[in-house]
Amino acid sequence: MASDNGGREVVKGVQKMTPSEAFVETMVAQDVTTLFGIMGSAFMDAMDIFAPAGIELIPVVHEQGAGHMADGYARASGRHGVVIGQNGPGISNCVTAIAAAYWAHSPVVMITPEAGTGGSGLGGFQEAHQLPMFQEFTKYQGHVNNPARMAEYTARCFDRAMSEMGPTQLNIPRDYFYGEVETEIAEPARLDRGPGGAESLAQAAELLAEAEFPVIVSGGGVVFSDAVDEVKQLAERLGAPVVNSYQHNDSFPASHPLWCGPLGYQGSKAGMKLIKDADVVLALGTRLGPFGTLPQHGIEYWPKNAKIIQVDADHKMLGLVKKIAVGICGDAKASAADLFSRIEGKTLSSDATKQKRAERIRSEKEAWEKELSEWTEERDEFSQDMIAEAAQEEGNWLHPRQVLAELEKAMPERVMVSTDIGNINSVAHSYLRFEEPRSFFAPMSFGNCGYALPTIIGAKKAAPERPAIAYAGDGAWAMSMVETMTAVRHDIPVTAVVFHNRQWGAEKKNQVEFYNRRFVAAELETDSFAEIGRSMGAEGITVDRLEDVGPALKKAIDMQMNEGKTTIIEIMCNRELGDPFRRDALRKPVRMLEKYQDYV
């Protein structure tokens, strides 16, 4: 026997054991301490020895929640997130969560016990073809085709989740947990990623040296590789403004004078105006996804003539979305350090305008902060109607932007925040600023509802010393609010902020813009979410006055950190709406049949 970093014994050498033991011992070798899921007979023989192996199975309410928790755990810790469930319906419930983890590049291992081989193909109880379910959203799929290969496939799935930067699937016929095998538990295999090819790095350094207005886009790869210090060093040498890629607000510290905010939907005007004038863009650890580079605030900000240097650890992402001048297949941390070393002692073209650029950065940021502070309500005709209606019927319920600003002021240090999909949550991107990586969790390109609460529960489990907050609109909240019971039952205290505006806001805004305010299936009338939270064992706070927003959040965080309590803060918002969520994907309707002529 030997010990891993957690002090647990790890079996060494070729030994006789059961396949269940081989499966569990491989997870021990991979330093797995936590799984999320729902117990089931399909893997009960292995589950029986989780506890003596030092592995905790956290039972959830629904398997989609388990998948999101594993995602949040992985993103907060940098380690594997692991999810498991019963074959058939328990596994199919996880597909959406694994898809979200895929687009977040999270090293989640989806363990899928399968119907037994003896009855395969007969349409037995809970039988399903489980590999095709996940083939689009996994980097690797391992199917245990012989009990003797249990340790081999288990290790490979865990190793590939790290090396491929995304979810993997370990599919195990349920009868293969039993028997006797002779096997060896492999040590984890981890890639030592480098900065990239010497030629591409030299070309990139030359472009940076010649740039007169360089801008850095700091993406998720900067977070995953802990490269913030290297990016700061490089940005300071260049005097380059740094913008966050879409939904990676934690990829550069907001207090740094070169930080200019996130790009993409509801992002920073300051960052957009600055990158619009760039002659060279260094995109570090980002695929430059379409939704993060679309026009916003009426600004077509992506620079048409700039030379793009793209750094990504996955070579398939290089030049995929945007035309690039140089592509570097490398680790963001190593690449940034290498590029700094190549330009550190050189005279750069940007040196002559460094001070002028610093003044421009300061000016653009000040202007954007002033606009945000004065942007207390939405200005379109529909929102003005809703504000007037709220004043008459609801007693001046709160403007979402004012609420988001108050929440920003009340944020504790080292906070972790997850946001769901939706109108108010997207507007929140302008108000969420972070000082350290692994702090912001959003559903990325998959954009599924029901993401925020379970994800922040997983993040809190990984980092219990940090305050954890979830933002959700009432529609998305209802999809996963039952995981409040998971947080309460298993002492994983979090704080959820629910924006109760009684509507599917993002889609309703599309009906305003494109369908002449014909609202179909957009309204959500619900009694108190705070009361529902209390019924599940959490604290519940309803806020309908602006001056109570900050104190409510501070009280909830105090209860989370000092009393171990989960709190649901229900914010009573009016029905005003932000910009359309998918203006790029919709067109004004055309009707050809006579009976639909009024529906234009």
Side-chain angles (χ1 to χ4, degrees), residues 265-320:
Y265 183 60
Q266 294 291 349
S268 162
K269 277 190 181 181
M272 294 173 191
K273 289 180 178 179
L274 288 160
I275 199 171
K276 192 174 189 296
D277 291 340
D279 59 348
V280 173
V281 173
L282 174 60
L284 276 167
T286 171
R287 65 187 182 91
L288 297 173
F291 210 55
T293 54
L294 286 172
Q296 184 65 190
H297 304 305
I299 307 170
E300 290 194 21
Y301 58 85
W302 192 256
K304 291 181 171 58
N305 299 315
K307 294 178 179 178
I308 312 300
I309 303 165
Q310 186 182 7
V311 179
D312 202 288
D314 183 353
H315 70 94
K316 297 186 294 298
M317 297 298 106
L318 298 176
L320 179 65

Side-chain angles (χ1 to χ4, degrees), residues 205-220:
E206 185 176 349
L207 284 180
L208 290 173
E210 295 172 351
E212 295 183 359
F213 200 105
V215 175
I216 295 175
V217 181
S218 186

Side-chain angles (χ1 to χ4, degrees), residues 2 82 104 155 162 175 177 205 223 232 271 278 310 324-325 330 334 360 369 390 400 436 442 444 458 460 508 529 591:
V82 189
M162 286 295 189
D175 51 315
F177 284 100
V223 175
K232 283 197 293 187
Q310 186 182 7
I324 61 175
R360 168 90 187 277
E369 293 302 321
E436 63 181 287
M444 311 306 294
K460 180 69 174 182
K508 190 172 181 179
F529 287 115
R591 309 298 179 211

